[in-house]
Structures are given as C-alpha cells and as structure tokens.
Amino acid sequence: WLALADAFHAASMRPNGTLPRIPVMWGSDAVHGHNNIVGATLFPHNIGLGAARNPELMRRIGEVTAIEMRVTGLDWTFAPTLAVVRDDRWGRTYEGFGEHPEIATSYAHPLIEGLQGRVGDADWLRGPHIIATAKHFLGDGGTLGGKDQGDTQVSEADLRRLFAAPYIPAIEAGVQSIMVSFSSWNGVKMHGHRPLLRGVVKDRWGFDGLLVGDWNGHGQVPGCTPDNCRQTFIAGLDMAMAPDSWKGLWTNTLAQAKDGSLPMAVLDDAVRRILRVKLRAGLFEAARPSQRPYAGRFDLLGSADHRAVARQAVRESLVLLKNAGSVLPLKPGARILVAGDGADNLTMQTGGWTLTWQGTGTTRADFPNGQTIAEAMAAEAKAAGGSVTHSADGSFTERPDVAVVVYGETPYAEFQGDRTDVGFDDTGEHLALLRRLKAAGIPTISVFLSGRPLWVNPQLNASDAFVAAWLPGSEGGGVADMLFGKADFTGKLPYSWPRESDDTALNTGDKNYDPLFAYGYGLTLKDKGELAPLPEARVTTANADPNILFAAGRTGQGRQLLIGAPGALTANPGPDLISANAADRTAQEDSVRLRWTGRGDAVAAIVGRDPVDLTREANGDLAIEIELRVDRAPSAPVTLGVGCGEGCGGTVAIEAPLRAAPRGEWTRIAVPLACFVRSGADMTRVTQPLAIQTSGTMDITISGATLAQAGTGQIACSRSL
C-alpha cells in the first residue's frame, strides 16, 4: 500500500511542461479502523459504538484510525457514517450509530476531531491526522422498506430533524469532505439534488470543503451514465467517485466545459474546493507518502496501545439483555464449554468492510493481530483457575459447569445485506444446541453477533443469559472481559429490539411503540436479569423469494452457502479442499468463485434454515437453473445434488456440460427437480436445494441459482443418471 501511494504521488507530480503539479490524495473506506489492511486494529462497527454512548472514546478511535492510515501512506478516509437508521432491514444498519439522531450528533464532533485534529492546531489534517468524510448526505438510513440506494419519503421537516442533525457538528468540527448518498429524497436522486447540495450544504450551511460522490452514484441521475453526467456537477458535486468510468467521464466533462454546457463557474467552484482541501492538508509541500510522519511504521498497525482502545470499545459496546439466575459473571475455576460457529471466527466477529468489501473469504491467518472470542475465553479462564473446552458443535466428554454459545449473522455489506424482515435466520443447529444444553441442565450464555437487532425469541428462551455483542471487531478479549466480570455491563441499545419478526421500522417515539427491549435498554450485573418466556412463533416466513437460491452475491435469505468435506461443511473452512471467494460479473461481488483443489472430496452446498417442501415445484417441471462461468474444467466426475437429511438425497452428473462449456464465458445449466426425485430425493423435506461435489480440480464462478422453468442448457435425466 505504501509503495502504491508513492507511485500514485509520483505520477501526479511528474513534470508536464509549464503546467503546475497537483498532488493526488488517496481515500479509502476505513469505517471501523483501517479495515482494508491485514494486521490493522479493527474496532466494533458503528452499531456497537452507538451502544457505548461514549463520545470521548470516539475521539480516541479516530486518532488510532488516522495514525494507522498514515502508516500505509493514505490521506483520507470515507468515514464517519452519520446515518440515522429507521428501518433495520437496511443492509447498512450496522454502519449507523443508532435509530435516534442524538447518538450520531454527539459523536460527529469528537470523532472527526480525532481523525482530522482540531481546526487551528499545527497538526490539523497533517502529521498523525487525515481528512475525514461525513456520509451519506442525506437520509440514507430512512429509505422506504430499508432498501439500499432507495427513496427516503419524508417531509422536509423530518429530513432536517432526523437525518440532517449530525452534519451540523461535523461541519463545526471542520470536516473537509461530505459524501453524497446513492439514495433519493422523495424521488429525486441525491447526486442530482441541487437544492440540497448547493442550496443547503454550500450556501446555507457555509460548508467550504468538497462534496464527493459515491461509487458511480452520479450515473444514477436521470439523463446520466457513469461516464457522462454534467448534471451532477451543476447540482453541486465537486468530485465524482468514478472507479471504472473515469476516462469517459473526464473526456465528456472536458468537452462540456469547452462547449459551455458545464458553466465555468461550476467548474471553478469544484476545483477551488478540491484545491482548498489539498492545501489545508499540506499536500503541496509534503514529501512522497513514504517519507511523511508515521509512514512505514508497521509496528503501529495493531499495536498494543491501539488494541487496548479497541478492547475498551468492545467492553463498552456489549448489551446484556438477559441474565437469569445471575449466571453472569462466570465463576472463577469454572469448566466452560465454548461453542457455536462464531466462537473461533474472526470473519464473523469483524463483519462486512473487513479486508474485502463483503467481509467474506478471509481466514484466521488474515488477522495476525486479532483474537477470537474462543481464544480470549481460554486465556481468561486459565488466569481464573478454570478451563475452556472449545467445540463448535457443542459436543463434550466432561460435563461443563457452564456453556457459552457464540453465533449470529454471517458478513455482508451494502445492498447484499438488505432483508425483508428482522427474524434471525438460524440454520437450526444453534437453537438445537441451546435447547440440548438447557435440557441437560447446563447454564447457557448466548453471545449474539449481528449487524442489527433481530427477532430471536426462541434463542432468548433457550438461554440463561443473552449478550448482544454486535460486530465487535478484532478484540475478542473485550467479550471475555465482560463475561468474566472484569467490568460491569454499561452498553445500552442504540436500536429498539423487535418483539416480532415483522417489526422492521421500530423506533423510539413512534406511535404504538412496542418493542421487546426499548431503545436505551441494557442490564447491569446488579439488575434482576429474569425474562418471562416469549412466544416463539415467527410471524414472517421466507425472507425472500423461496425460489431464489443465490443472487446478487448472496444466498436467498434463510439459506447459507457452506463448503468443505462431505459431512463437515462450514461457512469459512481452510482452503485445502475448496475455497469460496466473492467475484464480479455485472456488479461488485455479485458472484461467488468456487475452486476445488483436487486433494479430496469437497462440496459447495446451499443449506436452508428449515426443511422445505418442493413437491409442487418438482411436479411442476421446475429445474435448478445455474448461471455460471467455467474457468477450469473438472478433472473428475461432478454431481449436482439435492439433500433431504442424513442419508437422504439425489444426485445428477454434470461434469459433461461443465467440460463442454466455453472457458471464461457465462453459460447456463439446468437440471429438472424430477431428476433428483428419480435419484432418491424426498422433495417433501429438502434441506440442501443445491450441492456441487467433486474430488477433482475445478474452478467455476456462479452468479445465480434459482428454481425456475428451465430454458436453455437443460440436462435430460436420461443422459445424466
């Protein structure tokens, strides 16, 4: 990263006749620490920080993030997100500090000062500080139905009251950039909203920094494309984010400036603001990035001091929702069982925006300075004279005194996290484990990892204690500290907790407000922690079209993509047998690339939360239709299977069409469900609607999988069986 920063800087400063040289500045999404860098300190996502209610802690987090960005040569972060989230179906809920503007409003000033320094100080925007960005202007957390990049349909008074409030202290703190939202207000795209961008931000508020766009967001303005949009600059945008469209956008914008369709005053305003920020940041006199303060001090990435700040943030972010019989804190000398797929899983702990856009495809080795919850629990138990047995599935030989089960959501970011309800899609094993432990009389603590509050009534009933841990980041030790009673719980809910799975737009102050746990709720160890039994019937069923198995880079809601050896599938195993990584087709990470190593039998399967009856679909001639690209043909037989429980299933051979597929080109194959019936599958209780298995090498990328009336590419059963 540092070498690339030098290369960018050198290119921007290369002499060109008598033209003045304007240094480049490099921005990145450092939204919970310098989260694109292996080894960096990773803080809890904003939802957890909102639970902490500690503005001065935000200042320190900003300072740490700025220094770690300086280490790698960067000047600018696209943070903080000041979204006020009003519908928890939104895939970016965890990026908001809460549902009420009071938290973001109290955090904006200290967090921006932590990142940028104080206006007037010698090190403002320099030395240990960087340029910050308040985002996403405006109303991004209020879209109808929680739809990412959607439409916020509210009055101007509500737009100002709910969503604009945090931007005032941000500007007062001297924030130098504001990012414009993908979303719309009452049908008008923000990237083209002149009354708000130019009229409010620049003219009424007097903001003199720069307005930057989001990823090709200008291309969504009516009449625009990603490479042609003078309308966005006329509306007030100063810098377009054009990662793959910049060449065409530059050519067209230059032509429009020359022919007068882009007024010179508009161009001057944009250029003046960009230059002003660069001048304030000292970039014109600064040496190349590797020679600036803190550059190359890689020992500061994930340093002990920085991790201590993150550990404090984790401790203050946890919210205790239940503590029946005062099972917490854990007793010294206890034999502790630590279970669940999140216990030893930094991928789940850190969530989206971590090393990859979606936060997926990472392994333990990618977090050299991190600590999983299981690792931290083992260290704390040893210090307290006890012991920890870690078993993901909850099995044990020696009966434990207490069990800690860590589970929750798998990572997602932006639109790929959008939902249609707020019911937790447990694949079944965690609830079954909790109930099994309860039946055995073992006190059980749930540590729930999530990017939003979710309906978890069955899990609450089956747990003696329940901790909302959000997405805590790299410091699992902060979770262990709280479970062992090193500090009392102080975290308070930044979002109302749903009573039902359809409580999607649930906000304090609403008419008929009736949450399970109200905004601001949170127990301490001194409180009575009992909770009456809760109804367990989910009022919503499928969270999406049940016929969609995989689309837009994610499985259909209620399902997971699991990979590994047959009978040992998991979300994120080691890459010895098979790997799954995000890939692009028509949009960022809208596909998944699956690679088999040939070192043994391996499966990629889409697994459902509950068995489903596909009898009607099978009788109706529906097929499993897969859109894919073959980059390396299979070297051994390949089957496509449907599973219906242990010892139940049916398979169809698909190596022939995969070998025949043109390399590197998108194609489609379809297998009628009737084929799987003939092969032995019981369609009344399908748990795995798709499973691809081979013992050979193979490299394929899947962009979509559905149950549909098969079109081209259909495989005949007689040929396949």
Side-chain angles (χ1 to χ4, degrees):
W1 282 68
L2 190 58
L4 191 57
D6 274 355
F8 284 148
H9 181 266
S12 69
M13 301 303 287
R14 187 177 300 122
N16 186 351
T18 60
L19 291 175
R21 297 293 85 204
I22 300 172
V24 71
M25 64 180 183
W26 185 358
S28 184
D29 284 288
V31 295
H32 66 127
H34 196 11
N35 45 259
N36 289 297
I37 300 294
V38 171
T41 307
L42 299 175
F43 295 95
H45 274 288
N46 285 356
I47 189 171
L49 299 181
R53 304 293 209 280
N54 186 342
E56 283 308 304
L57 176 61
M58 300 308 108
R59 185 186 306 276
R60 186 70 183 113
I61 288 172
E63 291 170 348
V64 169
T65 301
I67 287 173
E68 296 202 7
M69 291 191 78
R70 285 297 193 192
V71 167
T72 62
L74 275 68
D75 314 287
W76 184 15
T77 177
F78 302 138
T81 300
L82 299 178
V84 178
V85 182
R86 306 295 287 177
D87 191 317
D88 299 346
R89 289 173 288 187
W90 190 33
R92 306 186 79 152
T93 294
Y94 62 81
E95 295 187 54
F97 292 114
E99 69 189 39
H100 193 284
E102 65 180 356
I103 305 177
T105 301
S106 71
Y107 280 3
H109 197 288
L111 182 49
I112 287 165
E113 281 198 340
L115 290 163
Q116 293 192 159
R118 288 185 173 89
V119 178
D121 286 358
D123 63 357
W124 183 53
L125 306 175
R126 308 175 185 218
H129 298 299
I130 56 173
I131 298 161
T133 306
K135 69 181 189 182
H136 308 84
F137 186 87
L138 183 62
D140 50 344
T143 57
L144 187 65
K147 181 177 174 59
D148 192 41
Q149 305 184 20
D151 188 20
T152 299
Q153 299 178 9
V154 297
S155 67
E156 184 171 357
D158 281 346
L159 186 73
R160 182 171 59 248
R161 176 179 64 88
L162 292 173
F163 305 110
Y167 287 88
I168 304 304
I171 292 172
E172 290 173 348
V175 72
Q176 289 299 287
S177 68
I178 293 175
M179 184 178 289
V180 179
S181 177
F182 278 119
S183 59
S184 305
W185 176 44
N186 293 337
V188 180
K189 279 288 181 182
M190 279 292 161
H191 276 72
H193 208 302
R194 182 169 181 164
L196 285 176
L197 301 187
R198 197 170 291 282
V200 171
V201 179
K202 292 183 173 182
D203 295 342
R204 187 182 307 173
W205 288 350
F207 173 66
D208 66 357
L210 66 91
L211 287 174
V212 64
D214 209 340
W215 187 286
N216 281 334
H218 57 277
Q220 298 181 7
V221 175
C224 290
T225 61
D227 62 3
N228 192 340
C229 192
R230 65 185 177 87
Q231 296 95 313
T232 194
F233 302 116
I234 293 171
L237 196 75
D238 300 309
M239 182 187 292
M241 187 182 289
D244 53 6
S245 59
W246 65 270
K247 289 185 179 181
L249 186 63
W250 177 81
T251 299
N252 288 318
T253 304
L254 177 60
Q256 290 153 2
K258 287 181 175 180
D259 68 20
S261 58
L262 178 64
M264 188 57 66
V266 169
L267 187 63
D268 284 345
D269 178 53
V271 171
R272 183 182 299 113
R273 288 167 178 274
I274 295 167
L275 291 176
R276 180 186 291 136
V277 171
K278 291 185 175 186
L279 285 163
R280 285 172 170 169
L283 295 181
F284 281 85
E285 63 265 26
R288 65 177 183 267
S290 63
Q291 293 182 334
R292 297 174 190 170
Y294 300 94
R297 293 184 55 184
F298 300 118
D299 58 304
L300 294 176
L301 295 175
S303 69
D305 287 347
H306 292 179
R307 290 184 62 187
V309 177
R311 189 163 180 158
Q312 177 189 350
V314 175
R315 290 198 301 266
E316 296 186 18
S317 72
L318 303 189
V319 181
L320 182 61
L321 298 179
K322 180 180 180 180
N323 192 22
S326 296
V327 65
L328 286 175
L330 297 172
K331 307 301 185 288
R335 292 189 304 272
I336 304 167
L337 171 67
V338 177
D341 62 358
D344 199 35
N345 191 328
L346 275 159
T347 300
M348 285 181 65
Q349 243 177 257
T350 53
W353 297 109
T354 304
L355 301 184
T356 67
W357 177 37
Q358 294 294 314
T360 55
T362 57
T363 68
R364 179 65 184 85
D366 296 319
F367 302 92
N369 295 326
Q371 185 180 41
T372 70
I373 294 170
E375 291 166 350
M377 291 292 294
E380 292 291 337
K382 183 178 180 181
S387 64
V388 160
T389 298
H390 172 239
S391 168
D393 64 2
S395 59
F396 57 86
T397 53
E398 184 179 10
R399 179 184 173 87
D401 298 317
V402 64
V404 176
V405 183
V406 188
Y407 58 99
E409 292 188 292
T410 53
Y412 53 82
E414 296 194 62
F415 60 88
Q416 295 197 22
D418 284 359
R419 299 177 54 94
T420 59
D421 74 355
V422 289
F424 174 49
D425 296 317
D426 194 337
T427 54
E429 69 267 22
H430 296 109
L431 181 57
L433 171 59
L434 292 169
R435 287 173 172 167
R436 188 168 71 246
L437 293 167
K438 187 177 185 69
I442 298 170
T444 303
I445 299 146
S446 278
V447 175
F448 190 58
L449 305 175
S450 74
R452 54 192 140 209
L454 290 169
W455 179 84
V456 286
N457 285 13
Q459 289 79 9
L460 279 162
N461 285 341
S463 306
D464 294 285
F466 194 99
V467 177
W470 315 114
L471 301 170
S474 59
E475 303 313 307
V479 177
D481 288 346
M482 302 306 291
L483 298 185
F484 278 94
K486 286 193 167 183
D488 201 352
F489 287 85
T490 58
K492 304 299 178 185
L493 287 180
Y495 293 85
S496 305
W497 200 278
R499 184 176 295 277
E500 304 283 1
S501 59
D502 62 351
D503 284 340
T504 53
L506 178 68
N507 299 296
T508 182
D510 287 351
K511 185 179 180 181
N512 301 320
Y513 179 64
D514 185 29
L516 180 60
F517 302 112
Y519 171 84
Y521 180 87
L523 297 170
T524 70
L525 294 174
K526 302 179 183 67
D527 293 326
K528 183 175 174 59
E530 309 297 323
L531 184 65
L534 300 167
E536 296 192 0
R538 182 170 175 165
V539 299
T540 52
T541 52
N543 192 32
D545 183 345
N547 289 335
I548 294 177
L549 306 180
F550 184 88
R554 291 189 68 81
T555 53
Q557 293 292 353
R559 298 183 171 110
Q560 283 184 295
L561 175 64
L562 302 179
I563 58 176
L569 301 184
T570 182
N572 198 39
D576 292 344
L577 296 178
I578 184 175
S579 63
N581 298 100
D584 301 345
R585 183 179 182 183
T586 60
Q588 246 189 317
E589 301 192 8
D590 63 352
S591 307
V592 62
R593 186 173 185 180
L594 300 166
R595 282 176 275 197
W596 282 258
T597 65
R599 297 172 186 160
D601 242 1
V603 184
I606 292 176
V607 180
R609 176 172 57 87
D610 299 307
V612 295
D613 187 348
L614 296 180
T615 306
R616 178 176 60 84
E617 288 79 1
N619 293 338
D621 293 330
L622 263 63
I624 297 176
E625 186 174 75
I626 306 173
E627 294 184 78
L628 53 81
R629 183 186 70 209
V630 178
D631 291 312
R632 183 176 183 180
S635 64
V638 184
T639 60
L640 176 66
V642 166
C644 41
E646 189 173 353
C648 177
T651 61
V652 171
I654 60 169
E655 70 267 18
L658 292 176
R659 286 173 180 161
R663 299 295 171 270
E665 296 182 18
W666 292 99
T667 188
R668 178 183 289 108
I669 64 171
V671 179
L673 292 177
C675 295
F676 302 104
V677 176
R678 296 182 194 179
S679 186
D682 180 353
M683 305 306 286
T684 66
R685 53 188 181 99
V686 173
T687 54
Q688 284 187 10
L690 183 152
I692 301 173
Q693 181 172 348
T694 184
S695 60
T697 57
M698 184 169 65
D699 184 347
I700 62 174
T701 300
I702 295 176
S703 66
T706 59
L707 303 180
Q709 292 288 344
T712 58
Q714 180 162 324
I715 298 172
C717 295
S718 57
R719 193 182 73 186
S720 307
L721 296 176

